[in-house]
Amino acid sequence: MTLLVPDVGEVIALKAFLNNTAGQDQTLKLFATNVTPAETDTAGTYTEAAGGGYTSKSLAGASWSFTAGAPSHADFAQQTWTFTGALTTNATVFGYYVVQASSGTLLWAEQFTSFTPANNGDQILLTPKITAD
Amino acid sequence: MLNWFKKNKGTDGTPRVHVVTPVHISKEAKEVIKSQSLRPGMWVRTRSGIGILVDARSDGNLDIMLTDGMGNNIRPVVAPKHEVGQALYSQIPIARRPPDRDYLHAMGYI
């Protein structure tokens, strides 16, 4: 699957680009419903994982690195979720989504190969990256 | 016989590591999609049902995830681009349909 910036995320990008509204730090979350990101999505589209030692991750704007090129891209350090066992509400993780830390507005989302944490010590490793092309 | 000492781990008892690398749609795929007046992430209708446009192939075929009435995934399909069109407003699953009808109409979901 491919990363998708929905319409609500596009508006935030444009507003920050044009100095209309300042950007915010981000929160990286895993979603636990079997959905494919769509352009009309909002944060409410996704059901966040819960239980099993899961917590969302904070992504500070100042910690991104930026590279000009074709395409230009922004990269963040690898994020690691280490589970203590099974999730509680929905057992399987199907992807991740990123929201603004304060407003909670959806920025982007991506489905990945599903993973069902079951064991103490199971991990998901994700290196956030986004391109502009 | 019950094994009271069995650990709740994988078949070999070793924790598993799932590595995720973000995948971005290619510029070429975007061009294929744009040539059909479509957009990545768009709700589309195909002969197989309603789904979400995910990607495009170099041969012009489109990757689509078919969805159920709740907007959850059913199965991926590959469809010829001439068989794919934008979904109607009423075809977007209610659970995935934003409440702002004017916005959806402006997006071409009539």
Side-chain angles (χ1 to χ4, degrees):
Chain A
M1 295 298 173
T2 54
L3 182 155
L4 183 79
V5 179
D7 291 349
V8 290
E10 290 179 350
V11 170
I12 286 173
L14 288 170
K15 285 182 175 179
F17 187 65
L18 298 171
N19 196 28
N20 175 278
T21 306
Q24 297 176 12
D25 291 336
Q26 306 87 44
T27 304
L28 171 61
K29 304 181 176 189
L30 299 175
F31 63 84
T33 44
N34 189 12
V35 295
T36 294
E39 63 178 1
T40 52
D41 286 350
T42 64
T45 302
Y46 301 94
T47 299
E48 187 175 5
Y54 166 82
T55 56
S56 61
K57 303 285 187 183
S58 295
L59 307 179
S63 298
W64 285 90
S65 61
F66 300 88
T67 305
S72 298
H73 53 95
D75 301 84
F76 205 92
Q78 179 177 276
Q79 301 297 297
T80 301
W81 285 272
T82 302
F83 299 94
T84 56
L87 299 177
T88 51
T89 307
N90 298 322
T92 301
V93 173
F94 292 92
Y96 70 92
Y97 61 114
V98 178
V99 301
Q100 284 195 308
S102 298
S103 74
T105 304
L106 180 64
L107 295 172
W108 72 89
E110 183 177 4
Q111 186 183 11
F112 55 63
T113 303
S114 64
F115 181 72
T116 304
N119 311 317
N120 186 13
D122 281 353
Q123 290 185 319
I124 292 178
L125 311 182
L126 169 63
T127 305
K129 178 178 182 176
I130 189 160
T131 63
D133 197 10
Chain B
M1 187 173 86
L2 294 174
N3 181 354
W4 298 104
F5 304 100
K6 183 179 179 182
K7 293 180 179 178
N8 181 27
K9 292 195 172 181
T11 53
D12 61 356
T14 305
R16 300 156 302 150
V17 177
H18 189 65
V19 179
V20 177
T21 303
V23 178
H24 296 77
I25 192 167
S26 71
K27 201 166 187 174
E28 293 74 21
K30 277 194 230 175
E31 290 301 320
V32 170
I33 291 170
K34 195 174 177 182
S35 72
Q36 296 300 302
S37 300
L38 300 172
R39 304 181 294 271
M42 176 185 262
W43 288 96
V44 293
R45 48 184 169 168
T46 74
R47 289 183 176 179
S48 304
I50 302 301
I52 297 166
L53 178 54
V54 175
D55 206 346
R57 302 183 176 204
S58 56
D59 61 6
N61 289 327
L62 303 176
D63 287 294
I64 293 159
M65 178 61 76
L66 298 180
T67 63
D68 63 16
M70 294 298 292
N72 295 318
N73 297 337
I74 299 176
R75 62 186 168 89
V77 295
V78 179
K81 54 188 178 185
H82 65 271
E83 292 182 2
V84 179
Q86 184 169 9
L88 301 175
Y89 171 85
S90 60
Q91 293 174 320
I92 300 174
I94 292 175
R96 301 285 300 272
R97 190 190 301 164
D100 186 347
R101 188 166 188 155
D102 290 340
Y103 154 68
L104 287 173
H105 281 182
M107 293 290 291
Y109 298 104
I110 56 174

